[in-house]
Amino acid sequence: MTTDVHQLDDGAWISVNDSREVNVSDLWLLARSDFCGCETTDFLAEGFVKVGVDYPDIQARIAGQCISCGESGVTDWLTVGRVVDPDSGEFHGVVHESVHFPEKRTRLASPEE
Amino acid sequence: MPSKVEGWKDEVYGNEIREHLMEFAEKGWESIPEDEQDAWFERFKWWGLYHQRSGQESYFMMRIGTPNGVIKPGQLEVIGEVAKEYASGPAQNPEFGDAYCDWTTRQSIQLHWIKLEDIPEIFDKLEAVGLGTQQACGDSWRNIVGCPVAGKDKHEHVDAWPVAEDLHETFKGNDDYANLPRKWKVAIAGCDEGCGQGDINDLAFEPAEKNGELGFNVRIGGGLSRKEPRLARDLDVWVPPEQAADVAGGMSALFRDHGDREDRFNARIKFLMDEWGPEKMRSVLQEEYVDFELETAGEDMRDQYSYNTGSQDGHNDHVGIHEQKDGNYYVGLNVLVGRMGADDVLELAELADEYGSGEVRLTQRQNIIVTDVPEENLDEFTSEPLLENYSPDPSPFMRGSIACTGTEYCSLSIVETKNRQVRYARWLKDNVELPEDHKDFHIHLSGCTASCAQPQIADVSLRGMKTRKDGEPVEALDIGLGGGLGDDPRFADWVEMRVPADEVPGAIKNLVNNFKDAREDGETFRDFVEDRDEETLAEMVEPEETDYDDPYMHNTKMTWYPYAEDDDMQSSPAPTNGAGEPLTSDD
């Protein structure tokens, strides 16, 4: 089946196959990111701005702030979890406290015109 | 390309949602197909139902829209009864117990832990006395706000209550305006104190005189959400009361047709106002949406506004005992952070009936007003034991406190809010002394940038954040200063960021002491802030641990309910069936 991904409630959470899977208010560690000048960005997720699928990864661009330096903005694409078996649709979230590497591009859940 | 939510709205939206809602309620929670849940929960908002956050599945927040905050005789008792019977969850709140009503900053009522299966009965009870939840949330006309003592106030020039009621009746359930790109917030006031808070609404009607006739000037595009606060801008339009609905209909139709349906983050009319400016907005309204010549703006009364101005004279809120124009009195009661237990609501309903007309009104500062109290009843009424907790003469820190829902129930919030602000207010009352000439000091705590507690228009603005303390993540708050409304409205300056939540009371204490030391004679806090740069102000806010104890420093969002004995997400009893019994996920 197709993996259905969207953000809802003003970007409060990401739904994967109609299940609430990723929430705002977690801290993510971002490395090799140009989000701010910190070596590792201690990033507070405040809202999911865009979501996408780059099979098997579920990705998102997240609005938030580095709680070390105060820089705020929107991240590049971050993998927030995976749906390894599209037939079962089961979502496996990443450990947000681990170090993550934002990427420049991904495929949108709903392609833009 | 329209957003996914727009796609769901195209399929089913507006009045027709009710039929589906009733069918699901009758068959029970499990009858909502799993792959349709997101779509249905988005639609249920239109009928005032908001699915609670992660860990609380199958429970809903129910919002009852009371235009202008007016709760007519007989209605408060039903609200209390519904809260007592249906708004109980699987765990208790340590400050407020079980079953309570939240009075909101938009003069509405919120109940929590509502089960889908109970909704038909609740709707029957509410609708039997003229209350309802229609369009209380969702993409349409929201609850209309205004001066909560419209029709009673000695400072009133135009009685805005019949106009608010007419707008409510015209645009609630009206299919032409049922599906807007986003929420549509309207304020109307006829008094010279500015308590409609029009500046932070999508559409505002403010009292103004034109050619000797009293009516309203129109402002468009205010709002506080998403770190994008805007003050409503003058449209250079005046309308007499009898044409207010025509202009309101025209403006909301303009928004319906021209608002952004592709990006919900850009959908509010404040962003269209950014793009068009007031002149184009006015000309499109004139040319396409009204069939009469719009008058240019009349002479407003903004220079007399006192509400939430920090001026320390006039009317900064509606707490206290005030004479009405008919010689009776209204008694504004302080409800700390807007939350009132169901038993207290029922008792207040009896008292309002005994001492007043039975009518009460909600304010945009989360308080409640008992109206129509004859002078001879005042002493006895204000001696009632209930008013020890809901005082007409509270400490400035109690009366000035506003808090949003927070992580207790809300998906978007970053931090716990209501219980924390209760603890802040009590600690500040016991430990901090304002200058004698400061009876009003507003502290608004909002859990996130959605700004439901309206933090940007407070003397001290608090907004949910995170920081690390001794290496561990803890709940924190950004601190802003000097916001307020009036003739010259001003958003707070954010001067000290990411302060651990347990150091905020100490920071406010130090700020107040520094203000007392440095102020000139008679200088108000708001003027004091306005005259200083952010760096100077930041030095005056000195975060500090005190004997204030904060039990919510951990990540309350990671719990299923922050105050449960076993708060682990895996221990959540949700979802439940109609009897409140947990449903297992593998059946």
Side-chain angles (χ1 to χ4, degrees):
Chain A
M1 73 182 195
T2 312
T3 302
D4 191 18
V5 183
H6 43 259
Q7 54 85 7
L8 281 171
D9 292 350
D10 289 339
W13 47 280
I14 297 175
S15 169
V16 182
N17 295 326
D18 274 72
S19 174
R20 290 196 277 209
E21 298 292 1
V22 192
N23 291 293
V24 293
S25 87
D26 288 329
L27 289 171
W28 297 67
L29 287 177
L30 312 182
R32 296 208 300 268
S33 145
D34 52 11
F35 185 84
C36 65
C38 298
E39 193 171 333
T40 306
T41 303
D42 203 356
F43 181 77
L44 172 68
E46 294 184 272
F48 297 101
V49 177
K50 285 186 175 169
V51 290
V53 183
D54 188 7
Y55 180 79
D57 295 347
I58 307 300
Q59 298 191 317
R61 295 192 68 193
I62 314 176
Q65 187 173 138
C66 172
I67 63 166
S68 295
C69 70
E71 185 66 40
S72 63
V74 178
T75 65
D76 287 325
W77 290 96
L78 273 171
T79 296
V80 297
R82 290 177 183 85
V83 176
V84 179
D85 176 5
D87 289 333
S88 76
E90 195 178 347
F91 176 80
H92 301 273
V94 298
V95 177
H96 54 82
E97 297 96 333
S98 307
V99 176
H100 299 269
F101 304 94
E103 294 172 13
K104 291 291 180 197
R105 293 186 187 285
T106 198
R107 192 181 310 149
L108 287 172
S110 306
E112 286 180 318
E113 301 220 310
Chain B
M1 180 179 167
S3 67
K4 184 165 274 190
V5 171
E6 285 297 324
W8 293 336
K9 287 160 64 183
D10 281 345
E11 290 170 20
V12 181
Y13 208 60
N15 290 301
E16 60 182 331
I17 298 166
R18 182 171 174 132
E19 189 185 323
H20 299 272
L21 174 62
M22 292 297 141
E23 200 178 321
F24 287 131
E26 192 185 324
K27 292 180 179 167
W29 164 256
E30 291 179 293
S31 67
I32 307 175
E34 280 187 17
D35 61 352
E36 295 178 17
Q37 287 190 355
D38 289 347
W40 284 115
F41 298 154
E42 193 62 38
R43 295 175 183 129
F44 288 172
K45 291 176 187 171
W46 201 90
W47 278 98
L49 295 158
Y50 218 104
H51 193 214
Q52 289 181 189
R53 75 163 170 87
S54 189
Q56 301 169 3
E57 285 77 10
S58 80
Y59 290 104
F60 291 84
M61 179 275 282
M62 174 181 281
R63 189 179 293 156
I64 303 164
T66 42
N68 213 79
V70 175
I71 299 179
K72 295 175 182 174
Q75 292 181 335
L76 188 64
E77 185 183 359
V78 172
I79 292 162
E81 284 170 356
V82 166
K84 193 172 170 70
E85 187 170 354
Y86 302 101
S88 293
Q92 291 208 350
N93 180 304
E95 300 290 347
F96 300 98
D98 200 10
Y100 35 78
C101 298
D102 284 347
W103 315 134
T104 78
T105 52
R106 288 194 64 78
Q107 296 172 289
S108 299
I109 302 153
Q110 290 184 178
L111 308 177
H112 297 279
W113 298 121
I114 299 298
K115 293 191 283 293
L116 178 70
E117 293 83 354
D118 290 334
I119 288 167
E121 270 181 34
I122 298 174
F123 277 11
D124 283 349
K125 289 180 187 214
L126 295 175
E127 289 166 4
V129 292
L131 291 164
T133 64
Q134 190 181 38
Q135 291 170 240
C137 314
D139 295 344
S140 59
W141 275 71
R142 295 294 189 86
N143 194 46
I144 295 159
V145 298
C147 169
V149 285
K152 320 262 181 195
D153 189 12
K154 291 172 87 171
H155 293 266
E156 190 169 67
H157 299 265
V158 196
D159 183 356
W161 167 232
V163 187
E165 205 169 25
D166 179 46
L167 293 177
H168 176 80
E169 282 163 11
T170 304
F171 296 106
K172 286 284 160 156
N174 186 327
D175 287 337
D176 288 343
Y177 310 92
N179 180 355
L180 302 180
R182 203 66 177 78
K183 62 181 85 170
W184 180 249
K185 293 179 171 179
V186 177
I188 182 161
C191 75
D192 57 29
E193 293 179 307
C195 49
Q197 300 200 148
D199 280 329
I200 57 167
N201 278 265
D202 295 307
L203 165 63
F205 291 99
E206 299 195 318
E209 189 175 333
K210 177 97 180 178
N211 303 326
E213 194 184 347
L214 285 159
F216 304 98
N217 280 352
V218 179
R219 287 178 179 249
I220 299 288
L224 300 177
S225 63
R226 288 188 54 233
K227 292 186 184 173
E228 298 269 8
R230 300 282 190 282
L231 293 165
R233 295 172 72 178
D234 187 355
L235 200 63
D236 191 21
V237 168
W238 177 89
V239 282
E242 61 274 15
Q243 283 185 327
D246 295 325
V247 169
M251 270 314 308
S252 57
L254 181 156
F255 176 53
R256 178 194 62 208
D257 300 343
H258 294 278
D260 188 344
R261 290 184 188 264
E262 298 187 2
D263 179 2
R264 291 181 66 75
F265 292 119
N266 193 47
R268 296 288 292 277
I269 200 164
K270 65 184 177 184
F271 298 114
L272 190 62
M273 180 59 100
D274 284 353
E275 195 183 323
W276 282 8
E279 281 176 24
K280 179 173 176 184
M281 192 75 77
R282 189 187 197 284
S283 79
V284 174
L285 174 69
Q286 176 70 78
E287 285 161 25
E288 298 178 31
Y289 294 98
V290 291
D291 56 8
F292 55 87
E293 192 69 25
L294 293 167
E295 300 252 22
T296 56
E299 190 178 340
D300 65 36
M301 300 169 191
R302 290 175 66 91
D303 61 350
Q304 298 171 62
Y305 284 5
S306 63
Y307 179 84
N308 196 18
T309 56
S311 59
Q312 305 301 328
D313 53 33
H315 218 153
N316 268 280
D317 61 25
H318 296 86
V319 174
I321 301 168
H322 304 273
E323 191 176 6
Q324 298 176 182
K325 62 186 176 191
D326 64 0
N328 286 324
Y329 287 78
Y330 69 84
V331 182
L333 304 178
N334 180 59
V335 184
L336 187 54
V337 302
R339 182 164 287 179
M340 197 167 187
D343 287 329
D344 291 347
V345 172
L346 288 167
E347 190 178 340
L348 186 65
E350 278 182 30
L351 297 180
D353 214 30
E354 186 180 343
Y355 295 109
S357 63
E359 181 196 76
V360 299
R361 296 190 175 193
L362 304 177
T363 79
Q364 294 188 64
R365 297 198 55 79
Q366 299 183 325
N367 293 320
I368 194 162
I369 299 168
V370 176
T371 58
D372 309 325
V373 181
E375 188 174 7
E376 60 269 24
N377 287 354
L378 282 173
D379 282 348
E380 211 175 330
F381 174 46
T382 53
S383 303
E384 286 285 346
L386 185 72
L387 271 59
E388 287 170 19
N389 286 332
Y390 305 100
S391 172
D393 186 22
S395 147
F397 292 114
M398 308 297 266
R399 81 190 282 168
S401 288
I402 286 183
C404 71
T405 297
T407 53
E408 184 178 11
Y409 301 113
C410 176
S411 295
L412 201 50
S413 185
I414 308 289
V415 299
E416 203 283 340
T417 53
K418 286 234 189 249
N419 289 20
R420 177 170 280 140
Q421 184 62 30
V422 165
R423 298 171 73 91
Y424 281 180
R426 288 178 185 152
W427 189 91
L428 293 168
K429 179 187 165 197
D430 292 342
N431 292 281
V432 181
E433 215 165 303
L434 288 164
E436 280 205 357
D437 56 0
H438 276 59
K439 304 295 178 203
D440 292 284
F441 194 75
H442 296 167
I443 302 176
H444 298 188
L445 169 52
S446 216
C448 71
T449 60
S451 303
C452 299
Q454 304 171 349
Q456 298 95 330
I457 56 164
D459 295 304
V460 175
S461 316
L462 303 175
R463 185 174 64 196
M465 247 299 132
K466 287 278 177 68
T467 192
R468 286 188 190 272
K469 191 162 178 168
D470 306 322
E472 292 300 312
V474 294
E475 297 201 350
L477 298 168
D478 290 341
I479 300 180
L481 302 177
L485 297 176
D487 187 24
D488 183 22
R490 190 166 178 272
F491 293 135
D493 287 330
W494 296 98
V495 301
E496 187 74 21
M497 313 303 268
R498 302 181 299 285
V499 178
D502 60 345
E503 298 179 24
V504 169
I508 296 173
K509 180 178 183 173
N510 291 332
L511 168 70
V512 169
N513 287 338
N514 286 328
F515 163 59
K516 284 196 291 193
D517 289 345
R519 72 190 285 236
E520 288 172 16
D521 272 354
E523 190 175 25
T524 65
F525 181 77
R526 184 162 160 191
D527 289 342
F528 180 86
V529 171
E530 198 162 353
D531 286 348
R532 281 158 181 81
D533 61 30
E534 284 182 20
E535 204 174 320
T536 309
L537 292 167
E539 284 170 11
M540 293 187 166
V541 180
E542 302 166 76
E544 184 183 12
E545 283 185 8
T546 59
D547 62 354
Y548 166 82
D549 176 46
D550 195 308
Y552 312 117
M553 293 297 283
H554 60 302
N555 187 349
T556 54
K557 196 66 166 289
M558 293 295 285
T559 67
W560 75 269
Y561 188 62
Y563 328 115
E565 200 170 325
D566 178 3
D567 65 4
D568 192 89
M569 192 65 87
Q570 301 307 316
S571 303
S572 166
T576 72
N577 62 18
E581 296 157 346
L583 295 164
T584 53
S585 57
D586 57 353
D587 59 0

